Amino acid sequence: MIGKLVVIWGSMFSGKTEELLRRLNRAMRAGKKVQLFKPKVDNRAGTCVRSHAGREAEAVVFEKPGEIINLLEPGVDVVGIDEVQFAGTEIVRVVKDLLFYGIDVICSGLDMSYRAEPFPVTMHLAAFSHECVKLSAVCAECGDDAWVTHRKSEEDALVVIGGADKYAALCMECRFKAQKGREGNSCR
Ligand code: ADP
Ligand code: MG
Ligand code: ZN
C-alpha cells in the first residue's frame, strides 16, 4: 500500500516540531517503527530535533535528500522530517519514493521565510499531502495568532539559523508595523 504524507507547516514557534514528535510517539505506541531525519543546515541541537519547549528526539542528519534512502533502517513504517524547507528540492522526489515504498511520511516545515515569501519545498509537499496541519504561534507583540516569522536581526541572507535570539512570531499587523519601523515606509 502507498504511504500517506502529512505536512505540518506554520511560522517559527507555532509548535511544528512538537506536533511532529507527538505524531511520531503516537505511531511508536501503535507498534510502528519510526525514523526521524533533519537537514544538516539546521545545526541547532546537534543530532537532536528539539522543540522550543525543550522536547527532543535523536535524529539522523542528512546533507542531501537522496541520502535518506540509504540511511533508512530496515522495516521503517513512518519517516519524520523536521525543518523540511531546508532540505532542497530533491526532497520532493525522495518523499514520493518513500510513499511508494509504503512508508508514511510526516514533514514539518516553515510555510514562509522571514520575508513572508513561501518556501517552495514546503508548498510542493503540502500540495500533494494527504493531510496538511497549519499551526500558528502567538504574536510576540499583541498575543493574536501569529502569521509570519519576523527576523529581529539586520542580517538579510534568506537562511540564517537561529532561535528566539533572532526571530519572533508576529501577526500580520504587528509585522507590518515592525517592517514600517525598519524601512520608514509601508511594505504592503
Ligand atoms: P516550531 O517547530 O514551530 O518552531 P516548537 O514545536 O519548536 O515550534 O515550539 C513550540 C513551543 O514554543 C510552544 O509550545 C511554546 O512552549 C514555545 N513558544 C515560544 N514562543 C512562542 C510563541 N510566540 N507562540 C507560541 N509558542 C511559543
Ligand atoms: Mg521546529
Ligand atoms: Zn500582533
Side-chain angles (χ1 to χ4, degrees):
M1 215 165 65
I2 292 177
K4 287 202 171 359
L5 174 63
V6 175
V7 173
I8 304 162
W9 60 354
S11 70
M12 261 179 89
F13 311 106
S14 64
K16 300 182 302 296
T17 298
E18 282 182 359
E19 179 62 11
L20 172 65
L21 298 181
R22 186 189 73 80
R23 286 180 179 241
L24 293 179
N25 280 326
R26 188 180 184 284
M28 282 191 280
R29 186 166 286 273
K32 305 261 174 73
K33 182 165 178 180
V34 314
Q35 200 175 359
L36 177 58
F37 291 88
K38 73 171 201 175
K40 192 171 182 189
V41 60
D42 174 21
N43 57 14
R44 302 170 302 172
T47 60
C48 273
V49 159
R50 186 183 300 145
S51 84
H52 290 103
R55 192 163 178 197
E56 61 180 27
E58 193 62 33
V60 178
V61 178
F62 65 92
E63 220 160 317
K64 296 197 180 102
E67 296 165 17
I68 289 177
I69 303 295
N70 295 328
L71 293 166
L72 209 56
E73 286 169 9
V76 166
D77 303 295
V78 185
V79 160
I81 307 171
D82 197 29
E83 300 289 355
V84 77
Q85 77 283 349
F86 292 148
T89 51
E90 186 67 6
I91 193 73
V92 174
R93 187 192 58 77
V94 171
V95 166
K96 283 181 183 165
D97 285 349
L98 293 170
L99 297 176
F100 276 93
Y101 295 156
I103 296 171
D104 290 335
V105 182
I106 310 175
C107 296
S108 85
L110 290 167
D111 50 0
M112 290 189 282
S113 71
Y114 81 101
R115 297 173 191 162
E117 291 163 351
F119 273 112
V121 162
T122 317
M123 294 300 118
H124 199 138
L125 290 168
F128 70 86
S129 68
H130 295 78
E131 183 189 354
C132 239
V133 184
K134 176 110 173 175
L135 300 176
S136 57
V138 173
C139 174
E141 292 291 332
C142 75
D144 206 347
D145 287 344
W147 168 76
V148 76
T149 312
H150 173 68
R151 185 179 287 166
K152 298 191 280 188
S153 68
E154 293 290 325
E155 296 151 294
D156 58 8
L158 180 63
V159 178
V160 174
I161 304 297
D165 52 330
K166 293 191 179 196
Y167 296 98
L170 294 182
C171 74
M172 202 180 260
E173 200 174 331
C174 292
R175 197 259 182 180
F176 283 138
K177 280 186 200 154
Q179 289 291 111
K180 215 170 166 183
R182 180 172 294 182
E183 293 162 9
N185 56 36
S186 171
C187 65
R188 275 176 226 236

